[in-house]
Each structure stands twice: as C-alpha cells, then as structure tokens.
Amino acid sequence: MAGRDLEDFRRAFRTGERVTGRVLSRPDARHALVDISGFELLAATDTNPPPGARLTFFIARMHPVVVLREIARAQAPADAPDPRRVAGLLSSLASARTALETRLTSLGLPPAPG
C-alpha cells in the first residue's frame, strides 16, 4: 500500500462499511489496485473495470489484511428495502398517526407525544 499508512485506513473505516474507489490498475483478472480516499489497496473484483472506473466496495475484513469486495452496480444489498415500498409505508404510518390522534382527541385524551 503506497501513499497513506494501512493503520490510518483501519482508523478511518470499519468492517461492513461500503466505500467508493477509483481503479488505478488491474494486476490480474480478479483484482484491481484502487484508490480509496488516498489509500491504495488491492481489491477483489467480479467485473472487468478499466483504469479510472469508480467502483463501490464492501469492507469484508480489516485484520490481518484488509479485504475489499466489489459491489456490482445493479446489485442492491440483500437487506436494502425498496425505496417505493418505504415511501408507501411512511405514508401509511402518517395516515395511521393522524387517525389515531383524531380518535384520541374525540375521546378527550391528549394527542400522542412526538
């Protein structure tokens, strides 16, 4: 790793974090040397990105070596909710809260805090 110290990278980032980096070179078909915030690291890749391409990586491990795995652009994390579904749920929640507050007021109770 050239440029900045590996321990600085470990202090700046955490396992499980997603980071974006620029491809500097391709030493082989499965790896890329990437620049992530000034840190040059070797990352596993599933695609064939050209030098200069910007990729997103998952920090799989920090010790004893840093392990970065490419996250394909079209691939959403398994636990990522659909933004349209989230918007619908939030709208439903707001409607339910309004209905509850109206009901509480009609019963002579104070509205819900918050």
Side-chain angles (χ1 to χ4, degrees), residues 56-82:
T56 302
F57 297 93
F58 173 76
I59 301 175
R61 189 172 59 191
M62 287 293 225
H63 296 281
V65 296
V66 174
V67 176
L68 301 170
R69 303 225 189 275
E70 180 184 5
I71 299 174
R73 287 184 189 263
Q75 174 187 346
D79 60 349
D82 178 357

Side-chain angles (χ1 to χ4, degrees), residues 4-21:
R4 297 171 68 183
D5 182 72
L6 183 58
E7 288 306 315
D8 289 338
F9 182 85
R10 289 181 175 130
R11 282 188 288 276
F13 300 99
R14 300 284 176 255
T15 300
E17 193 170 344
R18 287 171 175 75
V19 294
T20 301

